[in-house]
Amino acid sequence: MKLEDFSILVIDENPDRAAIVERGLVESGYTRVSRIGTSYNLVERIQALAPDIIIIDLENPDRDTLEQMFQVSRVIARPIAMFVDQSDSNTIREAVEAGVSAYVVDGLRQDRIRPIVEMAISRFNAFDQLRRERDEAKAKLNDRKLIDRAKGLLMQEKGLSEDEAYNLLRKNAMKQNRKISEIAQSVITAFQLEF
């Protein structure tokens, strides 16, 4: 997807500031731009619009807005760029923890909008890749723990060697066209029912 094809949602209560952002986006080639304020039901309104990128433009982000952004980033995984007039280290940290990909202090100029949007997308994608890799590693570790526990039960209760226990799990997984970890979970459950 070309950058110009992305739908962008601008969140801003100030129509003058929002116009600067919208103009900068349109001049950069973005044609699918919409705007809402920061009022109630922000998550539901963002979900309804389903933007590809979210730009928040605030004079000074408050705790409620950051909490809403945290809710947004949990429910709607999207690049988020936040423009603010003033900030402190706590607010920056809270914004990043809330899922903001680009946090720009006193940098609202039309000519900077496109590079910042591109950077927000890039940072979001890099972080999303790390999150997927972490989740995959956790799943593999959990599968490994299940397999090891099932092997241990088979070794203890059936008098099998470790290789024999693993081969039995593997053979049943192939026969049933299931993952070894699923068979391991079934073995663990079966042994728990016996006791």
Side-chain angles (χ1 to χ4, degrees):
M1 180 184 285
K2 293 187 285 183
L3 288 176
E4 292 77 14
D5 294 335
F6 285 105
S7 68
I8 300 179
L9 175 62
V10 177
I11 301 173
D12 196 337
E13 290 294 338
N14 183 322
D16 295 333
R17 289 171 54 97
I20 293 170
V21 175
E22 289 178 80
R23 200 167 35 250
L25 290 166
V26 170
E27 288 178 6
S28 295
Y30 296 103
T31 56
R32 300 175 54 210
V33 180
S34 55
R35 180 175 68 92
I36 61 173
T38 58
S39 58
Y40 302 102
N41 300 325
L42 190 59
V43 174
E44 292 83 8
R45 290 174 25 216
I46 292 172
Q47 281 179 310
L49 293 168
D52 297 310
I53 303 162
I54 300 168
I55 296 178
I56 306 157
D57 184 25
L58 302 167
E59 290 178 35
N60 193 15
D62 59 21
R63 192 173 247 4
D64 291 339
T65 303
L66 291 174
E67 177 57 33
Q68 287 187 68
M69 284 304 97
F70 185 67
Q71 291 171 4
V72 166
S73 68
R74 278 187 301 194
V75 176
I76 308 163
R78 299 286 189 275
I80 300 172
M82 183 179 281
F83 290 90
V84 298
D85 285 346
Q86 48 190 293
S87 186
D88 58 53
S89 59
N90 264 356
T91 306
I92 294 169
R93 183 182 44 74
E94 290 171 357
V96 170
E97 288 173 3
V100 173
S101 305
Y103 188 90
V104 183
V105 180
D106 195 27
L108 183 60
R109 291 194 338 250
Q110 278 180 237
D111 62 324
R112 294 185 65 204
I113 291 174
R114 184 179 181 113
I116 290 169
V117 167
E118 290 172 357
M119 191 264 306
I121 293 168
S122 179
R123 287 200 60 216
F124 173 81
N125 289 338
F127 186 74
D128 195 50
Q129 175 68 27
L130 287 174
R131 183 178 22 237
R132 282 194 311 270
E133 288 172 3
R134 179 207 60 202
D135 292 347
E136 185 179 307
K138 279 183 174 180
K140 285 181 180 179
L141 180 60
N142 286 336
D143 287 352
R144 184 81 243 150
K145 286 179 181 178
L146 285 174
I147 293 167
D148 286 346
R149 187 164 172 216
K151 283 191 317 188
L153 287 169
L154 289 170
M155 291 164 57
Q156 179 183 348
E157 299 299 322
K158 301 292 183 185
L160 301 175
S161 71
E162 184 175 359
D163 284 344
E164 291 170 330
Y166 180 78
N167 287 333
L168 182 61
L169 291 170
R170 187 172 161 267
K171 178 181 159 190
N172 278 288
M174 288 171 43
K175 187 190 300 185
Q176 296 177 34
N177 197 24
R178 294 170 57 195
K179 293 169 52 176
I180 294 176
S181 60
E182 293 172 1
I183 298 298
Q185 181 62 62
S186 297
V187 168
I188 293 166
T189 302
F191 276 110
Q192 287 173 340
L193 292 176
E194 290 182 10
F195 296 108

